[in-house]
Amino acid sequence: MINLTENAAAHIGNYLKNRGKGAGIRIGVKTSGCSGLAYVLEFVDDIDVHDVVFEHFGVKVFVDPKSLVYLDGLEMDYVKNGLNEGFEFNNPNKKGECGCGESFTV
């Protein structure tokens, strides 16, 4: 299961609306950084038949089965802290991360 907070869903929904197309957003992982894995976000225009789909607050989240192993239980939020804003990932599978927060291990 992948969860979006209401803030994350609203932010993604606004981007999809301004973009004028897209079925939702895809969350995945790729090999990167010093800890091993990094999150990947992209708009979904073409749905893959193997994708697992979750929907929260009217926004669809697509995840490929290989990434779901690392992301199951993930909560994605959109936060603003002073001048900084962005997505925050609360992943119960994460065992550690690099010092800069760029990548994580499971």
Side-chain angles (χ1 to χ4, degrees):
M1 176 66 122
I2 305 292
N3 293 300
L4 293 180
T5 64
E6 192 170 352
N7 284 343
H11 188 75
I12 294 166
N14 285 337
Y15 265 92
L16 287 168
K17 181 180 175 186
N18 291 337
R19 191 171 178 258
K21 65 177 182 174
I25 192 166
R26 181 182 318 282
I27 303 174
V29 294
K30 69 175 183 173
T31 303
S32 178
C34 50
S35 288
L37 298 172
Y39 299 106
V40 177
L41 300 173
E42 63 185 9
F43 291 111
V44 175
D45 293 327
D46 299 313
I47 300 168
D48 187 307
V49 296
H50 299 101
D51 282 339
V52 180
V53 183
F54 304 97
E55 186 169 349
H56 299 283
F57 304 102
V59 173
K60 291 184 180 178
V61 178
F62 298 84
V63 184
D64 68 273
K66 290 180 182 178
S67 292
L68 188 58
V69 172
Y70 304 106
L71 300 175
D72 194 26
L74 176 79
E75 180 185 70
M76 189 170 143
D77 194 7
Y78 189 80
V79 295
K80 294 182 180 182
N81 293 320
L83 297 175
N84 297 319
E85 60 183 271
F87 289 109
E88 193 171 89
F89 301 92
N90 181 10
N91 188 344
N93 303 301
K94 181 177 77 173
K95 301 298 182 210
E97 64 185 355
C98 65
C100 66
E102 176 86 15
S103 61
F104 65 97
T105 59
V106 291

